[in-house]
């Protein structure tokens, strides 16, 4: 059962990720990414991380990707243009990716003592997680909250219209 | 229990729940039409069948039989996926809702619940948050400005009120110490109505917030801005017709039912009797199970009634009022509620 | 039945999947031409890494791996907010999302 | 009982004036600038007088000299070398301080009138205050290093003030010339200091004197070298042969500056320094005779040049050089008190002459050429009167100040054996020449017919005439203090020499024995001076054609003198031109263009080349950045995760395995 679920959702993951690359319209890519994320949530469940599975769906699929689609809609992003870009970089980049993948795969396949995952394995409950998070790691947690607050402010400052220029006149006229 | 049995039982449960759910959706529509009719001092549907009881079936047939129009300018893949996504999400979240006491027959897995999940509440929230896509994609792929505006409004509204909704539930979770819906219900089952979260659990503020947020989440009046007919000629589903429109319609009502279920489970003691031990149990498994189911359906029904009542009574908010209300009032209130509940629990 | 439920999946498969996802993210970064899609590729990389964190948490029965993922998610949320705001600002200034056209190194 | 005198305030007050006027001067109203500028030297003068009163006045508070003030914080503490920032007040520095602050204050007052129309009014006074600051530091210095600070500082102030009108190229050049020539002298001073540290381990004057006194073995050798190096520094600062060339050019600065810095105070710093370090010279007869010979040579050399100069300020400049030569002559015959005495009187009458010249220049609209003056005595009666006093004083006519000091030096030289006689004759000849060219100046300026239309010439304002009158009074009476035991007063510092004991101290009865000799010498000197006057009278009043006749009769000689012995040209040909040629050929073409330029071009080329390559990296294209990032990550992973030792160990095996096949 575990094997089947793993194969199915790993397949979903891979298909979604590849589809993300193949699709030329950003919204399709975004939907592919959502598929990847939801499938990953299932994989997390299989690995016994149920809280993370829910958080994955809520945070990634439900918040971050909504933001992405929102921006895609807002900017009315269309199919990407066939620009040339940097061929040389691609010549460097693809071998590098292949090298990275090869190295990591080699290392993983040569690592001894990696265990196995079963359905009957213990599940990390939300209590255990929060017990550590809110005692030992309280400070990082709080710092993260501050980080998010700052990010919100930054996002508002960056994307929001200038308060003195609500109609965006200055932007359109090049600041004059 | 063999694997074949397991799969069969699961399929059976899913099928039954889905059918019941769809029927419930259909009759919720009828309930709304009837009730709104009575509120507006008219009859509502009354011609098809006795008291118009067959009206939903006829409506469904009509939707199926209507010409399926796909406008030329739409982005087809998403235009087709969107209603499925919306209805799918609305139906999936019922999967973790327990309807009554855990009973099983002939070695079956527990009936009255498709899956008992440790993090049931989070699953519901997660699925709800996915539901946004149905609306957003529908509006965007329609390639129509009304649809797009409706979709943008809707996305913004859903994302905003999701926060308040989630935060309002934290108090309940704190009290129960679990995210499992069954545990939350059983924790309220001691003294009947008095131990319900909304009363004995001191979560009335949370309930109020939940109610507001739930109305907004389901795009129901008075927060039905995304489909404000007078402004947007129907909102995100302007360009949809026939069965696809019906799917959005069903999704909305399915969501209403889900939200009613969640409210029942979290604040009103779920399937437990409001009288606690005053009425002794019948010592008969089937009778007890039926009774629990009865209480649950009754509570959910009262919520649906409330929904319709509010819709028939209150005027619609303005969009900025809606956003203000969500961010400036509900959110801080929810946070205050969390703080107060924590303090109360800590120094009880 | 028991055999069916107790099927095992080696953790190295999960790790391999995570490596592949990460690499696909890198490839996406390299070949995609739309700023938003590139940003999505970054999210894909993060997700790939998250999967390996969860896998290792399972391997060592340690909660901290999962907490790491939790933090990654939070940071990713903050990053997405700021990043998308930047993308909006860039779009306002340049009226394009094609990265190959946004190579002035200034807004 | 030693009450604190707060010597540190004496330099600090002018420094405060410098800061205020230098930083805020442009924005302050003129009267505040003036007040600040005048208050600083006045307060310093008050402090000096207070100190003097502390020693000699009624209710003296300080019983013993020298009085030393040391900065409580250690200044330099390097190994065995400890140098404190210390100020010393003794008889020598007291006299010098009185001259510096007194004359300085008078010239400040004079400048208020002289510079009133100048744009750089505040700048001028800030520089002047800065000069006073450094000069007082120099005078008060308790060790050579502190003195060196003042030494360099006055050089800086001199440079700034010579080039005060820096828009004028000649002024800017003159400033640089003064600075560079001074550097040569400073070089000697620095070497002397290194030698002092190396041999004595200290730079404090009193400690050096003590160490020299303890060990009679210190004679000649190192001491001579040190003394000669010091002499080199002194020659640079005090414009002695061969480093005098900057002083005439320094007349490009404003006239009060010439009076203060290049006549009265700064240029005498060399004399002061020799007097301050006289113990070293006393232990080296050779160095002492070098000082005397250089002094005498400078005196007569400059005097001959002064004979034919036509620029009023240049005449005075060469006269200053000549008089400084006198002072060195005095030092060289170990008559330090006489030298200091001459320094003081010279400060009075030379400042007076410069200021009077300034008054003349001011009156006739910036004209400095003697040949275009004449008959000014009616229009400038006060200036004429004070100039007369000054001329009489410098010529050595009794009872004016110059007579006493010059006589003291000549007398001391005469007593120095055979060499002394030669020096004496040179001095006497110089005195003749001095009298001649000073009266020549006097005649050409004030008497005779006006040689240019000077309808607008007028007497100076009172702010300028006041200092003139005070200085005139000092030029008349300043010499009389010799009679009241000036030499004895300085003796604790400079050492008493029997030969110096002048019989002209009429009030002191016990020096009858040499009365006749000194009287004779004095009469000779006065006669020589009068002879100079007579020649001048003949040449420039009774037979005005005579100078031209002489000049045509001896064209070579006249040309030689008029062109100042071609010294500047000589230096130009021997030092400047080769140096320039060397710079041009070697430094510019080989070092600059060849080595430095080549290196620069090479580096630049490498940078450009590398930039051209690296530039392709900085394309701004996000995806290429990502590609390189991926390459870096791959490299890092290769480095970290691949077990290189194992791989490398297996490589040969693989190779061998292949070979085996």
């Amino acid at each position: 059962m575990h094997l089947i679920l793993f194969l199915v959702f790993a397949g979903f993951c891979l298909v979604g990720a590849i589809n993300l690359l193949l699709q030329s319209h950003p919204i399709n890519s975004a939907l592919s990414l959502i598929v990847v994320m939801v499938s990953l949530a299932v994989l997390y469940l299989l690995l016994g991380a149920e809280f993370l599975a829910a958080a994955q769906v809520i945070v990634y699929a439900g918040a971050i990707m909504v933001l992405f689609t929102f921006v895609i809609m807002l900017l009315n992003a269309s199919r990407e243009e066939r620009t040339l870009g940097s061929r040389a970089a691609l010549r460097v980049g693809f071998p590098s990716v292949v090298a990275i993948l090869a190295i990591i795969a080699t290392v993983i396949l040569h690592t001894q003592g990696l265990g196995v995952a079963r359905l009957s394995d213990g599940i990390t409950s939300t209590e255990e997680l929060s017990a550590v998070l809110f005692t030992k790691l309280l400070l990082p947690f709080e710092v993260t909250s501050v980080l998010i607050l700052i990010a919100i402010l930054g996002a508002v400052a960056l994307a929001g219209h200038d308060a003195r220029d609500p109609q965006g006149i200055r932007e359109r006229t090049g600041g004059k | 229990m063999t694997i074949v049995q397991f799969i069969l039982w699961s399929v059976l449960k899913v099928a039954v729940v889905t059918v019941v759910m769809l029927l419930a959706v259909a009759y919720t529509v009828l309930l709304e039409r009837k009730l709104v009719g009575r509120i507006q001092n008219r009859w509502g549907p009354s011609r098809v069948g006795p008291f118009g009881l067959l009206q939903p079936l006829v409506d469904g047939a009509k939707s199926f039989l209507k010409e399926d129009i796909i406008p030329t300018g739409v982005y087809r893949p998403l235009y087709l996926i969107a209603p499925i996504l919306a209805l799918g999400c609305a139906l999936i979240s019922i999967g973790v809702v327990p309807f009554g006491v855990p009973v099983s027959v002939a070695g079956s897995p527990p009936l009255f619940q498709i899956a008992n999940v440790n993090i049931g509440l989070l699953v519901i929230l997660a699925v709800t948050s996915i539901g946004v896509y149905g609306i957003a994609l529908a509006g965007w792929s329609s390639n129509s400005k009304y649809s797009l505006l409706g979709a943008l409004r809707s996305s913004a509204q859903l994302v905003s009120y999701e926060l308040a909704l989630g935060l309002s539930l934290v108090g309940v979770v704190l009290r129960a110490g679990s995210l499992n819906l069954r545990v939350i219900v059983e924790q309220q089952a001691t003294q009947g109505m008095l131990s319900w979260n909304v009363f004995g659990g001191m979560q009335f503020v949370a309930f109020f917030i939940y109610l507001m947020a739930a109305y907004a989440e389901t795009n129901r009046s008075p927060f039905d801005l995304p489909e404000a007919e007078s402004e947007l000629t129907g909102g995100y589903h302007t360009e949809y017709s026939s069965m696809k429109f019906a799917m959005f319609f069903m999704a909305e009502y399915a969501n209403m039912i889900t939200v009613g279920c969640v409210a029942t489970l979290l604040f009103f003691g779920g399937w437990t009797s409001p009288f606690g031990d005053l009425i002794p149990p019948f010592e008969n498994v089937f009778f007890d199970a039926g009774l629990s189911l009865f209480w649950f359906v009754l509570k959910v029904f009262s919520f649906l009634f409330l929904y319709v009542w509010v819709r028939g009574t209150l005027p619609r908010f303005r969009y900025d009022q809606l956003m203000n209300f969500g961010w400036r009032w509900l959110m801080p209130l929810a946070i205050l509620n969390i703080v107060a509940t924590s303090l109360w629990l800590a120094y009880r | 039945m028991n055999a069916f439920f107790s099927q095992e999946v080696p953790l190295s498969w999960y790790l391999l999947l995570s490596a592949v996802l990460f690499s696909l993210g890198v490839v996406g970064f390299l070949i995609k031409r739309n700023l938003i899609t590139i940003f999505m590729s970054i999210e894909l990389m993060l997700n790939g890494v998250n999967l390996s964190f969860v896998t290792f948490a399972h391997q060592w029965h340690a909660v901290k791996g999962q907490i790491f993922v939790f933090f990654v998610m939070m940071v990713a949320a903050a990053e997405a907010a700021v990043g998308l705001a930047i993308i909006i600002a860039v779009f306002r200034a340049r009226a394009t999302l094609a990265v190959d056209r946004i190579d002035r190194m200034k807004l | 009982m030693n009450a604190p005198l707060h010597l540190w305030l004496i330099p600090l007050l002018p420094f405060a004036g410098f800061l205020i006027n230098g930083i805020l001067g442009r924005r302050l109203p003129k009267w505040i600038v003036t007040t600040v500028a005048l208050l600083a030297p006045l307060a310093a003068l008050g402090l000096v007088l207070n100190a003097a009163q502390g020693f000699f006045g009624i209710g003296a508070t300080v019983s013993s000299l020298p009085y030393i003030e040391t900065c409580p914080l250690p200044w330099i503490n390097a190994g065995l070398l400890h140098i404190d920032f210390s100020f010393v007040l003794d008889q020598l520095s007291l006299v010098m301080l009185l001259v510096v602050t007194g004359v300085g204050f008078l010239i400040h007052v004079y400048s208020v009138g002289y510079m009133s129309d100048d744009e750089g009014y505040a700048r001028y006074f800030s520089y002047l205050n800065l000069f006073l600051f450094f000069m007082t530091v120099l005078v008060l210095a308790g060790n050579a290093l502190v003195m060196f600070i003042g030494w360099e500082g006055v050089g800086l102030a001199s440079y700034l003030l010579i080039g005060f009108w820096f828009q004028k190229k000649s002024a800017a050049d003159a400033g640089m010339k003064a600075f560079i020539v001074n550097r040569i002298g400073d070089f000697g001073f620095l070497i002397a200091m290194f030698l002092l540290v190396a041999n004595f381990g200290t730079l404090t004057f009193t400690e050096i004197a003590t160490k020299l006194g303890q060990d009679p073995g210190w004679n000649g050798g190192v001491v001579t070298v040190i003394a000669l190096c010091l002499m080199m520094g002194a020659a640079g600062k005090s414009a002695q042969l061969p480093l005098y060339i900057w002083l005439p050019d320094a007349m490009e600065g404003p006239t009060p500056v010439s009076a203060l810095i290049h006549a009265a105070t700064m240029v005498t710093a060399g004399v002061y320094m020799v007097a301050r370090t006289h113990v070293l010279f006393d232990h080296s007869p050779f160095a002492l005779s070098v000082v005397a010979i250089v002094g005498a040579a400078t005196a007569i050399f400059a005097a001959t040049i002064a004979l034919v100069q036509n620029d009023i300020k240049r005449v005075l400049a060469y006269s200053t050089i000549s008089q400084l030569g006198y002072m060195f002559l005095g030092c060289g015959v170990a008559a330090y008190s006489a030298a200091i005495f001459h320094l003081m009187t010279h400060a009075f009458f030379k400042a007076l002459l410069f200021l009077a010249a300034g008054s003349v220049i001011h009156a006739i609209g910036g004209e400095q050429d003697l040949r275009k003056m004449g008959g000014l005595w009616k229009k400038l009666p006060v200036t004429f009167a004070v100039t007369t006093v000054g001329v009489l004083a410098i010529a050595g006519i009794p009872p004016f100040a110059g007579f006493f000091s010059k006589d003291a030096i000549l007398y001391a030289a005469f007593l120095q054996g055979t060499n002394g006689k030669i020096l004496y004759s040179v001095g006497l000849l110089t005195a003749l020449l001095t009298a001649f060219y000073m009266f020549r100046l006097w005649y050409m300026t004030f008497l005779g017919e006006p040689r240019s239309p000077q309808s607008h010439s007028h007497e100076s304002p009172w702010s300028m005439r006041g200092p003139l009158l005070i200085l005139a009074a000092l030029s008349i009476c300043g010499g009389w203090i010799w009679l009241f035991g000036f030499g004895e007063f300085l003796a604790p510092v400079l050492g008493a020499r029997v030969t110096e004991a002048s019989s002209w101290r009429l009030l002191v009865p016990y020096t009858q024995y040499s009365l006749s000799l000194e009287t004779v010498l004095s009469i000779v000197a006065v006669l020589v001076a009068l002879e100079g006057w007579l020649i001048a009278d003949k040449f420039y009043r009774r037979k005005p054609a005579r100078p031209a006749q002489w000049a045509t009769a001896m064209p070579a000689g006249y040309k030689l003198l008029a062109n100042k012995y071609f010294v500047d040209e000589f230096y130009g040909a021997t030092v400047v031109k080769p140096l320039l040629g060397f710079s041009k050929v070697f430094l510019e073409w080989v070092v600059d263009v060849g080595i430095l330029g080549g290196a620069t071009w090479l580096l630049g080329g490498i940078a450009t080349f590398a930039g051209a390559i690296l530039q392709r990296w900085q394309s701004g294209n996000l995806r290429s950045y990502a590609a390189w990032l991926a390459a870096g990550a791959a490299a890092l992973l290769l480095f970290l995760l691949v077990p290189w030792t194992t791989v490398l160990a297996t490589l040969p095996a693989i190779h061998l395995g292949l070979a085996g096949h």
Side-chain angles (χ1 to χ4, degrees), chain C residues 26 29-33 35 99-100 102-103 105, chain D residues 618-628 630:
Chain C
V26 178
F29 203 122
L30 290 175
I31 66 168
K32 297 313 278 184
R33 292 169 173 80
L35 207 48
V99 277
D100 293 335
I102 309 172
D103 55 0
M105 298 205 220
Chain D
Q618 300 300 324
S619 58
N621 188 299
L622 202 59
R623 294 194 288 151
S624 53
Y625 289 152
W628 289 110

Side-chain angles (χ1 to χ4, degrees), chain D residues 348-370:
Chain D
F348 296 151
F349 58 69
K350 189 48 68 61
L352 171 64
L353 283 167
F354 261 115
L355 295 187
S359 181
V360 170
I361 296 166
H362 196 69
I364 60 176
E367 184 54 66
Q368 300 195 8
D369 195 331
L370 285 173

